[in-house]
Amino acid sequence: MTASPLPEAVRAHPRLGQWLGVGPDGCVVATSGKVDIGQGISHALRLIVAAELGLPPQCITMRPASTACSPDEAVTSGSLSVQQSGLALRLAAAHLREACRSAMARRRACGVGDVQMLDGVFRVRATDQVATYAQLVDTALLAGTIDPVHLSTGVPTPGGVEAPRPDVAAKVFGEFRFIHDLRWPDMVFGQVFRPPMLPATVDEDRLDRLLPALSGLHDVVQVLRDGLLVGVLARSEHALGLAARCVQRHEADGPLWTSASALPDFDAWQDWLKHQRLETTVVLERRATDAPADANATRRLRADYGRPYLQHASIGLCCAIARWQPQADALEVWTHSQGIFNLRRDLALAFAVAADDVCVSHVEGAGCYGHNGADDVAFDAAWLARAARGRPVRVQWTREAELGHAPLGPAMTVAVEAEVDGDGLLRSWTQDVWSQGHGTRPGRGTTPSLLGAWQTADPFPVPMAVNAAMSAGGGSERNAVPPYAVPAVTVRNHRILSMPVRVSALRALGAHANVFAAESMMDELASQRAMGPLAFRLAQLQGPEHARAAAVLLQVAQMADWVDEDAPPVGEGQGLGIAYARYKNTGAYCAVVVRLRVEERVRLEQIWIAADLGLVVHADGARNQLEGGAIQAASWTIFEQARVDAHGVASNSWDRYPILRFSEVPPVQVALIAQPDSPSLGAGECTAGPTAAAIANAIAQATGLRMRTMPFTPDNLMRQALA
């Protein structure tokens, strides 16, 4: 038997008791460092542990993640939870099972091979001697070091299990307690007022008049000032509303805060990106080893594609609760952050306390899928709580703050140049990407990456946005390398070394724009060669190394009744579009077909998705993730664009930042291609790029308009039609 490699989190936290234990009710308690942000990961992990231990899922209790008790598994992002935490918990569960088998053998003075385990009960063969996990687990057993050799291929895995999630009914009927629903005794409510742009200066005279006006409001407990920040503590949320209106009245004659530097013209964001100071890296350069048989038949095509700045636009607002223990100068925070350990580190830096004196616990909130304001609102709560003398402080951002202060998803422009030979095969591919970095998350720099920490009287420096290493999937260059067989490939990433507005990670990072660009180009090349879009893609995916890619394309085509002969229009103003990508070029294989109608605007009629996720732990959860990713990407692609002016982010309301409405969501059909013998691959982000490209390709088929810049609003469609 070959031992499985230990995940990094298990190497850092090798003690069995850090992952598993037994509760007072006899249920096995599982602990993960990954958090549930609505994607149902806690249930998938529950199924993995249950299958490995031979127990029903209801016998596994998932403990909410907290820095006080959970292993540090960094940030819940990148569609990696099942791959990373799932493997870690499976190794831990296998070790627990075999350690209990050995304990049973010692107790009954028999060989380990004489102990059978069935349905969570250990039995000595041919006897009535039995014991459960609760009877066998003790402190010494949990102190053991996880040994991967216990993971046997003979143990059943939870592939495709359809056990229902225990949280769904409570959420549907409004019984689930999100972080917004928590109330502590003696709790006070807080709000922080801050400049709408970064960096900024404050009008001291106006502020001097504002502070006493705020202090005089009914139910206001305390007003704080620290640099650019003004904080209000109150006995009720109603009082915070009065405070907000008071600030608005004082700004009626002029702003309290003004920008400390001129902002560029963000309506011309594509030109702006290409004229900044750059850091250029070569992601891949591969030269062809042979020349095309008929060089004269080779055709070249070049085009530029773009994505504007985007906002997270979570329907649920960011919220946090914090409490300081004055005697110990210790901080407790309850948050829906995606990275509780990273947040703990930066809070400790910001408030000059030891990390061990900060406890950050996760409580479910609104899903955001990227670096939104959850960490920043936690800073706000902690900053206010320090003045609250031990009372818990609850802070919930307003809609204006949510849209105006959270990091933006970076704008991107992508240039693709490709050559196709006379046989319809790709000969060369060059992709250049211009974008700011896609990461300013907390916990990754020498100073805190928290908005409030940059705005105090003694501010920390604002870090420049950076990209993850390509070994982790990259940032703006994510999925910039084509997934097809191409003899010559050059991919360059041009990182913008300027950040007039704050940017950071948004779901799928650069994959949304890069796949949109590449798969739009694939359709344009197919049209140039008079080949069908499906046939052209399949021609570049020959051989066993591309079999899984070809399989998802064929599957989605079958689902959509795709006809590839010259790809004629489906109907008047109606079109079908297809697109494919392998997320990060190492993750899930995904193909998408979109049917839409172009009238006064783009109306989605149907989305089909085929995905190969390797071993699927929870099929319903996987389908939900694929569907949700496609719907969010459709909203970005058709509707969304952040607007920035001299006063900051102007798209700070639903009127100014429309998203796809529930009534506009089309039917979505998902097919999972079973690969039970392959490692699990994440589902949450792989549909983003293919959905965007499939929409663009469907518009081209329906109207003849090749949309190369998102979003595909009526105004942009008209501009393209008149161009």
Side-chain angles (χ1 to χ4, degrees):
M1 181 178 3
T2 303
S4 298
L6 282 174
E8 182 178 343
V10 176
R11 290 197 298 270
H13 306 280
R15 185 170 57 83
L16 178 62
Q18 294 175 289
W19 299 89
L20 296 173
V22 177
D25 58 356
C27 285
V28 171
V29 179
T31 304
S32 168
K34 298 294 185 182
V35 301
D36 205 313
I37 51 176
Q39 81 279 40
I41 190 61
S42 58
H43 186 54
L45 297 177
R46 175 186 292 110
L47 296 178
I48 289 171
V49 174
E52 206 64 49
L53 296 180
L55 291 169
Q58 59 267 29
C59 290
I60 310 299
T61 300
M62 292 301 302
R63 179 161 48 179
S66 171
T67 59
C69 60
S70 302
D72 183 356
E73 292 194 89
V75 179
T76 305
S77 62
S79 300
L80 294 171
S81 294
V82 168
Q83 294 163 263
Q84 294 179 347
S85 198
L87 178 56
L89 281 168
R90 189 178 177 209
L91 289 167
H95 183 106
L96 178 64
R97 183 194 65 240
E98 297 309 312
C100 285
R101 193 191 305 273
S102 297
M104 183 68 172
R106 288 192 300 271
R107 287 188 185 185
R108 303 304 179 186
C110 66
V112 172
D114 294 325
V115 178
Q116 297 175 306
M117 193 278 288
L118 181 65
D119 297 332
V121 176
F122 295 85
R123 180 186 299 273
V124 178
R125 296 178 189 273
T127 73
D128 58 358
Q129 299 173 357
V130 298
T132 64
Y133 283 104
Q135 293 167 328
L136 294 170
V137 172
D138 57 22
T139 303
L141 187 150
L142 293 176
T145 298
I146 295 171
D147 187 346
V149 75
H150 294 305
L151 188 62
S152 169
T153 56
V155 177
T157 57
V161 173
E162 291 296 344
R165 281 173 54 176
D167 61 324
V168 171
K171 288 176 176 176
V172 169
F173 291 107
E175 299 166 356
F176 191 87
R177 286 174 62 79
F178 292 96
I179 189 169
H180 309 75
D181 303 316
L182 301 185
R183 295 293 185 273
W184 265 252
D186 204 29
M187 176 182 284
V188 290
F189 299 86
Q191 187 167 346
V192 175
F193 299 96
R194 53 170 38 96
M197 70 292 291
L198 188 75
T201 58
V202 66
D203 187 319
E204 295 289 349
D205 291 338
R206 293 183 185 277
L207 198 62
D208 287 343
R209 294 193 293 272
L210 171 66
L211 298 180
L214 290 171
S215 298
L217 294 173
H218 178 67
D219 267 351
V220 167
V221 176
Q222 191 174 355
V223 176
L224 296 83
R225 159 82 192 283
D226 188 357
L228 298 173
L229 302 178
V230 174
V232 175
L233 289 169
R235 297 184 185 90
S236 68
E237 292 178 276
H238 175 70
L240 295 181
L242 296 176
R245 287 192 286 275
C246 181
V247 171
Q248 290 172 355
R249 286 195 301 271
H250 279 75
E251 286 200 302
D253 296 330
L256 287 165
W257 299 276
T258 55
S259 177
S261 59
L263 291 174
D265 178 9
F266 281 99
D267 287 335
W269 53 269
Q270 287 177 294
D271 288 337
W272 180 82
L273 288 174
K274 289 189 175 183
H275 291 87
Q276 300 304 299
R277 191 163 62 92
L278 303 172
E279 176 189 73
T280 296
T281 56
V282 177
V283 178
L284 176 65
E285 188 160 22
R286 181 174 66 230
R287 298 183 183 278
T289 57
D290 62 333
D294 184 0
N296 293 326
T298 299
R299 296 185 184 179
R300 181 188 301 265
L301 187 62
R302 185 191 185 283
D304 293 323
Y305 306 87
R307 179 189 92 167
Y309 287 96
L310 296 175
Q311 295 173 252
H312 288 84
S314 301
I315 295 175
L317 298 168
C318 287
C319 182
I321 300 170
R323 176 171 58 199
W324 283 91
Q325 300 173 9
Q327 295 80 10
D329 202 28
L331 172 63
E332 297 174 278
V333 174
W334 293 265
T335 174
H336 53 111
S337 167
Q338 289 180 240
I340 56 174
F341 284 92
N342 289 33
L343 175 59
R344 179 183 71 166
R345 178 185 176 278
D346 274 17
L347 287 172
L349 287 173
F351 294 105
V353 297
D356 289 343
D357 291 329
V358 180
C359 177
V360 179
S361 298
H362 187 267
V363 184
E364 281 198 52
C368 70
Y369 308 104
H371 180 194
N372 70 343
D375 300 297
D376 298 319
V377 77
F379 173 92
D380 289 355
W383 177 65
L384 291 170
R386 204 163 201 179
R389 301 180 180 86
R391 298 176 72 180
V393 174
R394 176 186 184 275
V395 178
Q396 179 176 298
W397 272 7
T398 63
R399 177 64 57 199
E400 183 177 16
E402 182 85 16
L403 291 171
H405 296 312
L408 302 179
M412 298 179 63
T413 186
V414 181
V416 180
E417 185 172 353
E419 286 183 321
V420 179
D421 66 20
D423 295 324
L425 297 177
L426 289 167
R427 295 299 307 173
S428 69
W429 189 283
T430 299
Q431 189 150 329
D432 282 276
V433 183
W434 288 265
S435 173
Q436 292 158 290
H438 283 240
T440 54
R441 282 189 185 274
R444 296 175 176 175
T446 57
T447 60
S449 188
L450 297 167
L451 178 61
W454 307 335
Q455 297 175 322
T456 61
D458 186 18
F460 288 91
V462 179
M464 184 64 63
V466 297
N467 289 308
M470 279 302 292
S471 59
S476 55
E477 67 271 65
R478 182 167 293 181
N479 277 99
V481 175
Y484 302 101
V486 191
V489 177
T490 300
V491 176
R492 291 179 289 257
N493 186 55
H494 311 282
R495 182 168 71 99
I496 312 303
L497 301 179
S498 175
M499 198 168 71
V501 292
R502 184 182 178 206
V503 295
S504 194
L506 181 66
R507 191 178 199 173
L509 306 189
H512 175 234
N514 280 315
V515 175
F516 159 66
E519 288 297 287
S520 295
M521 173 59 76
M522 289 295 287
D523 258 37
E524 295 196 56
L525 291 168
S527 177
Q528 185 188 63
R529 276 297 180 188
M531 295 177 67
L534 176 61
F536 182 69
R537 285 170 171 81
L538 293 174
Q540 325 303 324
L541 294 171
Q542 301 299 310
E545 69 274 22
H546 296 297
R548 293 171 74 174
V552 294
L553 275 164
L554 290 169
Q555 177 67 50
V556 81
Q558 180 182 3
M559 294 162 64
D561 294 326
W562 183 275
V563 178
D564 213 7
E565 290 91 5
D566 299 325
V570 175
E572 186 65 29
Q574 190 180 43
L576 277 174
I578 193 169
Y580 159 76
R582 185 180 185 191
Y583 186 52
K584 300 182 188 175
N585 293 93
T586 58
Y589 303 82
C590 180
V592 174
V593 170
V594 170
R595 186 180 71 221
L596 54 76
R597 184 177 297 278
V598 182
E599 296 171 336
E600 79 283 0
R601 59 182 178 83
V602 176
R603 298 183 184 276
L604 301 177
E605 295 185 337
Q606 177 82 43
I607 298 176
W608 294 271
I609 301 167
D612 175 349
L613 308 177
L615 170 66
V616 176
V617 172
H618 183 224
D620 186 59
R623 286 190 290 266
N624 289 342
Q625 283 285 80
L626 293 164
E627 180 177 341
I631 291 169
Q632 186 174 30
S635 183
W636 294 339
T637 304
I638 298 173
F639 290 98
E640 299 184 36
Q641 178 172 1
R643 300 289 182 180
V644 181
D645 60 22
H647 304 291
V649 177
S651 48
N652 58 1
S653 68
W654 290 130
D655 289 339
R656 298 175 180 177
Y657 194 82
I659 63 175
L660 190 72
R661 295 176 178 269
F662 288 111
S663 60
E664 297 166 324
V665 174
V668 181
Q669 183 181 344
V670 177
L672 301 175
I673 296 179
Q675 297 283 357
D677 297 326
S678 299
S680 296
L681 303 171
E685 296 167 304
C686 65
T687 52
T691 299
I695 291 172
N697 293 337
I699 292 172
Q701 192 200 46
T703 66
L705 298 177
R706 173 51 63 182
M707 300 299 294
R708 297 195 179 103
T709 302
M710 296 180 273
F712 306 149
T713 60
D715 287 346
N716 287 344
L717 286 165
M718 183 60 69
R719 289 191 193 97
Q720 183 62 31
L722 297 175

